[in-house]
Amino acid sequence: MQQIPVNLNGYKLIVVEAPAMKTRQVDGRDELVTDRRTGATLFEVSLFARQRPEPGQKAAKGEEIKVTLATDPGEGFEEDTRVELVGATVSPYSFKNDKGETVSGIAFRALGLKPLDY
């Protein structure tokens, strides 16, 4: 199953690296990554995700996640900005790398970012 909707409302999301156009290395050079269906340029943002604690509980450890964005989020998403993901999904992946090892995980994706004022 691809693009499984995910609810991150119980998490505090903070920008660690500002959004930028997504690139990949091809034959030693950077190449822009585009959406396979639409051809639109994709963007990527690094966020620190930490679950909000329940009253009386200690906050759990957080984790840095990279999120692919389907659109240019625009200005105003500098480091330490609190945000919300619009239309967040996860997709599982698994592939064999150049060493023959199986690499598996989940990839985060969203339609865009929304700044939070608190």
Side-chain angles (χ1 to χ4, degrees):
M1 181 184 289
Q2 293 295 313
Q3 298 186 353
I4 303 164
V6 62
N7 180 345
L8 295 172
N9 288 340
Y11 286 79
K12 184 188 309 183
L13 303 174
I14 301 170
V15 174
V16 177
E17 287 181 31
M21 285 187 267
K22 188 171 182 174
T23 60
R24 68 173 154 236
Q25 285 278 323
V26 178
D27 297 328
R29 59 183 172 76
D30 285 338
E31 180 179 278
L32 289 177
V33 178
T34 57
D35 186 278
R36 292 178 184 156
R37 288 178 285 149
T38 66
T41 300
L42 298 176
F43 288 76
E44 188 171 58
V45 63
S46 290
L47 303 174
F48 183 75
R50 185 174 186 171
Q51 190 171 15
R52 292 188 187 115
E54 295 293 325
Q57 291 184 343
K58 184 178 175 183
K61 291 183 180 181
E63 187 167 334
E64 186 173 329
I65 60 173
K66 285 196 181 235
V67 181
T68 298
L69 303 172
T71 59
D72 181 352
E75 299 294 318
F77 295 102
E78 294 81 22
E79 189 174 329
D80 295 328
T81 303
R82 293 197 50 198
V83 297
E84 179 181 314
L85 293 173
V86 177
T89 62
V90 294
S91 295
Y93 65 84
S94 184
F95 63 91
K96 290 208 184 276
N97 65 15
D98 295 340
K99 298 176 185 177
E101 303 165 326
T102 300
V103 179
S104 301
I106 59 171
F108 287 87
R109 190 173 175 123
L111 297 175
L113 285 179
K114 177 180 170 183
L116 294 179
D117 294 328
Y118 58 92

